[in-house]
Amino acid sequence: MGTNAVAKNWFEKFEQHKVLYSYVAFALYLLINNSINASSVWMEHQRDPLSTLQWWEPLVWEYSSAISTLLLAPFLVWFFNKMPPRFEAIRLQLALHLLASFVFCIGHISLMVVLRKLVYGLLGQGYDFGPLAREFFYEYRKDVWGYLFLFTLFQLGLFVYRRLKGDAMLIGSDHTEDSASASQNNTAPEHFLVRKLDKEFLVKVEDIDWLESSGNYVNLHSKGRIYPLRATLASTVNILQHKGFSRIHRSLAVNHHAIHSISYDPSGDGEILLNSGERLNLSRRYKDEFRSRCQAASLRQN
């Protein structure tokens, strides 16, 4: 088995449980990093003959911080996905990330102190966090730097992941177009060109079951695989509407030919079952337009 085949095999295994593997890798990083920090604190205090610090205390401090960060990681991932770096509205982005780092710090400190008090209490001792204002400022300095590091690490990991998975771009029948020009010309491409490492592949538009908005990208779901396209959902649907694609949600669009059945709730919302078994939410905001497009497509076929 060649190097490329081995790499592909490992990547496909990672794809099956990417969230779990990413979380475990992050947990291992925190375990190693905070263990080193705990040993450093212990060695520093050992230099002072008057120190009363017990060996387990640095471990409690560092591991309570690590566990708190792990518990808050899903919030960070959710926010990082909602607020990817963009070149427009930079001040607003900085303000929102500054606010998020403040919220992260409050959550981190709260969970950390609760865990420390719990462990100290179980060992028959008391834990004093210290003056709140001073200690909060001390922790926030570290947490805002940690927030920036995690944001950078997340974006770097996402970039590498998308490069391995393959970025998609629009391709016409006889010439390549970007999504903006294709939207203006109202063309309907037959394929997407997917660039993956040093190879290129063609993905048929008719094989794409649904579209999902993800920050600056639109994820193309085709035969169990996901191909990120750098575009907006609105422009992509505008390009593909003549191929039977309709918007069904603020962040979703579907290929009519991939639909197995549709069900509706009393609230007016609905659910679309695809031939692949995937279930998508149908928002009542887009329900009427979706129905009319389906009916128009049916009439054209007849």
Side-chain angles (χ1 to χ4, degrees):
M1 186 179 293
T3 304
N4 288 341
V6 172
K8 180 181 178 182
N9 186 43
W10 276 102
F11 185 74
E12 288 179 349
K13 289 182 178 179
F14 172 79
E15 274 282 275
Q16 296 174 2
H17 307 285
K18 57 180 178 292
V19 175
L20 175 62
Y21 290 153
S22 299
Y23 204 72
V24 170
F26 183 51
L28 288 175
Y29 162 76
L30 289 177
L31 175 64
I32 295 172
N33 180 73
N34 288 39
S35 295
I36 294 173
N37 290 342
S39 64
S40 298
V41 171
W42 170 249
M43 292 171 67
E44 286 292 329
H45 279 267
Q46 284 298 101
R47 295 177 179 177
D48 183 4
L50 300 179
S51 175
T52 59
L53 185 73
Q54 300 184 62
W55 66 269
W56 52 267
E57 290 185 273
L59 295 175
V60 173
W61 300 343
E62 293 298 329
Y63 289 161
S64 63
S65 175
I67 293 173
S68 300
T69 302
L70 277 175
L71 292 175
L72 293 171
F75 158 75
L76 292 176
V77 171
W78 172 82
F79 187 75
F80 292 164
N81 276 320
K82 288 289 184 182
M83 287 295 300
R86 298 186 178 93
F87 288 108
E88 66 271 10
I90 294 179
R91 290 184 179 179
L92 177 61
Q93 290 183 72
L94 289 175
L96 290 175
H97 280 294
L98 185 63
L99 177 61
S101 69
F102 189 79
V103 173
F104 168 68
C105 182
I106 293 175
H108 182 234
I109 291 175
S110 301
L111 290 170
M112 190 172 62
V113 171
V114 168
L115 290 173
R116 291 178 183 179
K117 284 185 175 292
L118 177 63
V119 174
Y120 273 75
L122 291 174
L123 295 174
Q125 300 190 35
Y127 174 75
D128 181 19
F129 181 63
L132 183 59
R134 184 193 70 191
E135 295 302 320
F136 179 83
F137 177 72
Y138 172 78
E139 292 293 339
Y140 183 69
R141 289 183 312 124
K142 296 191 298 181
D143 281 348
V144 72
W145 181 251
Y147 179 93
L148 179 61
F149 170 76
L150 293 176
F151 178 75
T152 304
L153 183 66
F154 177 81
Q155 297 301 333
L156 179 61
L158 200 59
F159 172 78
V160 173
Y161 172 72
R162 281 171 171 161
R163 294 303 298 171
L164 291 173
K165 175 179 285 294
D167 283 334
M169 62 182 295
L170 287 172
I171 181 170
S173 57
D174 57 356
H175 61 284
T176 301
E177 299 179 294
D178 60 28
S179 58
S181 62
S183 177
Q184 292 173 358
N185 296 331
N186 228 9
T187 57
E190 296 293 334
H191 300 85
F192 280 94
L193 177 68
V194 176
R195 291 176 176 171
K196 188 173 183 179
L197 297 180
D198 58 345
K199 295 183 179 180
E200 293 183 344
F201 306 89
L202 289 179
V203 176
K204 290 183 179 180
V205 170
E206 63 186 43
D207 289 338
I208 299 172
D209 292 336
W210 58 290
L211 312 174
E212 176 190 24
S213 177
S214 178
N216 292 330
Y217 286 81
V218 174
N219 289 329
L220 314 177
H221 293 257
S222 173
K223 296 183 177 180
R225 296 182 179 274
I226 305 174
Y227 303 102
L229 170 70
R230 191 170 183 82
T232 65
L233 182 61
S235 65
T236 307
V237 172
N238 187 40
I239 295 166
L240 299 180
Q241 61 182 331
H242 301 297
K243 290 291 185 179
F245 283 79
S246 295
R247 192 87 171 260
I248 60 170
H249 189 273
R250 182 173 57 88
S251 58
L252 300 173
V254 69
N255 183 349
H256 301 172
H257 306 291
I259 296 174
H260 179 271
S261 61
I262 306 172
S263 58
Y264 297 98
D265 298 329
S267 63
D269 293 327
E271 184 180 74
I272 296 176
L273 174 64
L274 302 185
N275 295 323
S276 63
E278 191 78 36
R279 296 179 182 273
L280 306 177
N281 292 327
L282 172 59
S283 172
R284 58 179 175 270
R285 174 184 173 186
Y286 297 95
K287 183 175 63 176
D288 293 339
E289 182 182 355
F290 170 66
R291 278 178 169 176
S292 64
R293 286 193 174 184
C294 287
Q295 291 171 357
S298 178
L299 290 174
R300 283 196 300 268
Q301 290 177 357
N302 295 333

